[in-house]
Amino acid sequence: MTLLNSVQKLHRNHYIALLTQEPTDWAQVGAAYGQIQRAWTISPADHDLLDFFWAVHSYQKQQGFWPDISAWAERCLDTLSIDDSARAKLLLASANAYREQDCPDEALGHYNTCLEIYTRLGDDKGIANVYHQIALVLYPQGKVDRAHQLLTQSLGFWQEADDPLRMAEVLRSLSQLAEYRGFYAESAQYVKMSHDLFVQFGSPSELANSTKRMYETALLTGDLARAKSYLAESLEFFDELGDVPGITNCLHELGRQARKDGDFTLARALLESCLQSYRRMNNPGSSASCLYQLALIAREEKDFSKACEYLEQARQTYAAQGNIGKYAVSTRELGETHLAGGSYEAAREIFLQALDAHAQIDHDKGSGLDHLGLARVAKQLGDIVTAQEHYRESIRRFVSASQTNSSVEIETAQRELQEIEGLQTYGKMG
């Protein structure tokens, strides 16, 4: 057995050398990844296993192999006798991988254990980092206030520590939180502050991700020309880095844009390719996003059955993840699809579900759109009084959410309310 262990360690060390050479040949690593996995499986449970884990970790992150990261980290945690500092680092890597796989319970369990260790060690940097990561799990579950509190605490620490890159990371997360709440102007401000820091201090990978975030913000604020420029720039960055998740995310966005431009053939090809990639990465959240976009294409093509099928899969995925915001949006779009297909009773039930979800995260604009959908359903069913009530409530919600660029929705709801009131007045006169 001693001889076998020695052979296995030599096998493992061969791949550690491949993974840690400067510069790393990622194409060669990719070609050998099957053998690397086998070396990991048969490796003896000794302390060198930790070196092997961290040697392959960068490649797994680059490729989006999150299930491998969490499984390998769990093996180290279960079999190795290591100090608290090394254990916290492993817990953090595993938790981050679980978060990327949209497994919030597993992620939070490890983050909380990690937080206990850093608190015991008096590691303030570790605590600030874990606060940041926990917030990224909490806000998609609708726990907005707690997420904001943790991000603010984390940002304050990194400001005092004068660490611009950490500040930039937290500012980017604050922008995502603001976007989640529908505060697009506030989100754009955080993104700009973050991007300026990444341009000055960031690595190529950090700059690529920041540029992608600038694209998302430009899109939300309606600057389509600038958004397309940022997307092309970030795709070029990711391509140079060989960052598969980054490339896939950019192609996903190109598919979204192609759909909006009416090029459904290109959009479908891009989105279906991305869907396969996300499923290989075991990334259900991004898979659901692709299904959502494919559903919108199917609806435009009047294939309401397929659109409903895609949206139902997407919203069930978001429900399983606890992502209330995306669940609410996909549910509303399912209601819109039933409405477009003439299934009015089904549409009403679905819009009510969306309204309940938006209420959980206090999202006025989303609630306004739900009420607008319910008004249109009531109108189709001939219930004019109920339609008027929903139109008025939708306007009230849109006005309340005015900072999120709801002017178009306000005008639409007002126009449709005036039309229905005109019909009601004409009917009384007749």
Side-chain angles (χ1 to χ4, degrees), residues 82-153:
I82 51 179
D83 62 31
D84 277 349
S85 180
R87 180 166 293 277
K89 191 177 177 183
L90 271 174
L91 285 164
L92 192 59
S94 183
N96 289 342
Y98 279 129
R99 192 185 74 231
E100 292 289 348
Q101 295 173 74
D102 298 303
C103 300
D105 292 340
E106 291 85 349
L108 283 175
H110 279 350
Y111 282 137
N112 286 329
T113 304
C114 190
L115 188 60
E116 291 172 4
I117 293 174
Y118 283 136
T119 301
R120 186 166 62 249
L121 294 174
D123 187 337
D124 291 337
K125 290 185 177 181
I127 292 170
N129 186 27
V130 177
Y131 278 171
H132 182 185
Q133 306 309 319
I134 291 175
L136 298 182
V137 179
L138 292 181
Y139 83 76
Q141 298 179 308
K143 299 173 183 177
V144 175
D145 291 340
R146 179 57 177 159
H148 188 268
Q149 180 186 30
L150 290 172
L151 287 173
T152 302
Q153 287 179 270

Side-chain angles (χ1 to χ4, degrees), residues 397-416:
R397 297 280 187 158
F398 290 143
V399 170
S400 178
S402 58
Q403 72 162 317
T404 63
N405 300 321
S406 300
S407 56
V408 174
E409 289 81 6
I410 294 171
E411 292 173 4
T412 299
Q414 288 175 333
R415 184 182 68 253
E416 292 185 21

Side-chain angles (χ1 to χ4, degrees), residues 301-366:
E301 296 176 335
K302 310 299 181 186
D303 191 344
F304 300 119
S305 176
K306 182 174 286 186
C308 288
E309 177 187 342
Y310 286 148
L311 284 167
E312 189 62 48
Q313 289 180 47
R315 80 184 192 117
Q316 291 304 324
T317 298
Y318 291 135
Q321 297 170 348
N323 191 328
I324 300 174
K326 290 186 177 180
Y327 169 80
V329 172
S330 56
T331 298
R332 185 184 70 241
E333 291 297 343
L334 181 58
E336 296 285 359
T337 304
H338 281 305
L339 177 59
S343 301
Y344 302 128
E345 294 292 347
R348 179 168 58 188
E349 176 61 29
I350 295 297
F351 278 129
L352 287 171
Q353 292 177 25
L355 187 61
D356 179 66
H358 276 123
Q360 293 181 52
I361 56 175
D362 195 24
H363 199 295
D364 278 324
K365 184 171 183 178

Side-chain angles (χ1 to χ4, degrees), residues 66 100 209 212 215-216 231 234-235 238 243-256 270-271 274 277-278 281 283 285-287 289-290:
W66 309 116
E100 292 289 348
N209 282 292
K212 170 70 161 38
Y215 153 77
E216 294 165 356
L231 182 59
S234 61
L235 179 57
F238 285 125
D243 187 322
V244 174
I247 293 169
T248 305
N249 290 339
C250 288
L251 293 177
H252 184 180
E253 292 301 321
L254 286 171
R256 281 185 2 120
L270 288 168
L271 291 166
C274 291
S277 295
Y278 287 134
M281 296 176 198
N283 189 330
S286 295
S287 298
S289 181
C290 284

Side-chain angles (χ1 to χ4, degrees), residues 18-29 55 59:
L18 174 65
L19 289 156
T20 55
Q21 64 185 344
E22 291 289 346
T24 304
D25 185 344
W26 293 120
Q28 189 177 358
V29 172
Y59 177 75

Side-chain angles (χ1 to χ4, degrees), residues 416-429:
E416 292 185 21
L417 176 59
Q418 290 169 357
E419 289 172 356
I420 204 171
E421 288 176 338
L423 288 172
Q424 188 179 42
T425 301
Y426 178 78
K428 289 179 179 179
M429 292 176 62

